[in-house]
Each structure stands twice: as structure tokens, then as C-alpha cells.
């Protein structure tokens, strides 16, 4: 068997194995395990009010995004802990939207409208 045939067989085998592993959900379980490992480390370190979101779309990655308040005093510690988890490639921080008074008024107004429509039935 010549070298080019060996290369073609090797490439086809790698592609086939990658496709099988993808459809078995191996990558999805890996990202889920990373999120769980970070969550467990946060509980141990008593870090609160930070959400963990593994990168799944458009493709699975070894990166996570931590979502929390911009002025969260535990932000730096949370990033260091997440980066220390084996398997993590990158950690990003995303500020959670700050709820404004107008948002609260919109929610209250929507609830009033729902109550009025229920009373009219």
C-alpha cells in the first residue's frame, strides 16, 4: 500500500470517528461538565450571583462566559477560578443588563393589563 492510500484511509477514519463522537453528544457532555465543575468551584469559594454559560453555538468550544453585574466584587476571583478548571480554554465576562425603573414600570403595567383582561372575562 502506498503512502497516499494510507493518508486517505487515515483521514477518512478520523473524519468518521469525529462524526460519530459528535452525534453521540460527547462534546455537549464535555461542555456541560465544564459548567458543572465551575459551578461546584463557585459554591466552594462562596461566589454568588454569577451565571455560567458554556459556548455551544455555533459550535462547541472550551470557552465559557460568566454573566454578572459589572461591579460584582467577586468578578476577578470568579474569572481566576474558572480559568483554573482543567479543560477551559477561555473565560469571558459579560455584564448582565441593569434593570431600570422604566423596565419595572413596564412589567407592572403589563401585570395590570393582564389583571384587567382576566377580570373582564
Amino acid at each position: 500500500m502506498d503512502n497516499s492510500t494510507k493518508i486517505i484511509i487515515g483521514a477518512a477514519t478520523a473524519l468518521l470517528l469525529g462524526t460519530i463522537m459528535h452525534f453521540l453528544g460527547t462534546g455537549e457532555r464535555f461542555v456541560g461538565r465544564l459548567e458543572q465543575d465551575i459551578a461546584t468551584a463557585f459554591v466552594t469559594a462562596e461566589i454568588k450571583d454569577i451565571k455560567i454559560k458554556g459556548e455551544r453555538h455555533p459550535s462547541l468550544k472550551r470557552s465559557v462566559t460568566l454573566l454578572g453585574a459589572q461591579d460584582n466584587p467577586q468578578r476577578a476571583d470568579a474569572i481566576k477560578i474558572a480559568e483554573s478548571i482543567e479543560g477551559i480554554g477561555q473565560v469571558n465576562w459579560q455584564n448582565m443588563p441593569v434593570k431600570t425603573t422604566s423596565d419595572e414600570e413596564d412589567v407592572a403595567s403589563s401585570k395590570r393589563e393582564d389583571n384587567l383582561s382576566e377580570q373582564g372575562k
Side-chain angles (χ1 to χ4, degrees), residues 21-58:
M21 297 305 280
H22 174 75
F23 286 109
L24 291 176
T26 305
E28 182 67 34
R29 285 193 305 273
F30 177 73
V31 172
R33 183 185 59 81
L34 291 177
E35 289 174 334
Q36 185 60 45
D37 290 350
I38 293 170
T40 301
F42 282 3
V43 168
T44 303
E46 297 181 1
I47 293 178
K48 300 175 183 173
D49 300 325
I50 297 176
K51 295 182 181 183
I52 305 155
K53 184 176 123 185
E55 191 70 40
R56 288 180 167 82
H57 300 289

Side-chain angles (χ1 to χ4, degrees), residues 17-108:
L17 287 174
T19 302
I20 289 170
M21 297 305 280
H22 174 75
F23 286 109
L24 291 176
T26 305
E28 182 67 34
R29 285 193 305 273
F30 177 73
V31 172
R33 183 185 59 81
L34 291 177
E35 289 174 334
Q36 185 60 45
D37 290 350
I38 293 170
T40 301
F42 282 3
V43 168
T44 303
E46 297 181 1
I47 293 178
K48 300 175 183 173
D49 300 325
I50 297 176
K51 295 182 181 183
I52 305 155
K53 184 176 123 185
E55 191 70 40
R56 288 180 167 82
H57 300 289
S59 63
L60 296 167
K61 295 183 182 174
R62 296 181 315 123
S63 64
V64 294
T65 301
L66 304 178
L67 297 105
Q70 181 175 358
D71 60 348
N72 189 318
Q74 297 176 317
R75 177 179 176 169
D77 292 336
I79 291 171
K80 283 180 188 174
I81 289 171
E83 288 175 336
S84 72
I85 301 296
E86 185 177 340
I88 293 291
Q90 181 179 8
V91 177
N92 300 306
W93 182 271
Q94 181 177 343
N95 295 329
M96 292 179 84
V98 178
K99 195 172 202 177
T100 63
T101 306
S102 63
D103 290 340
E104 293 169 358
E105 290 171 359
D106 290 343
V107 170

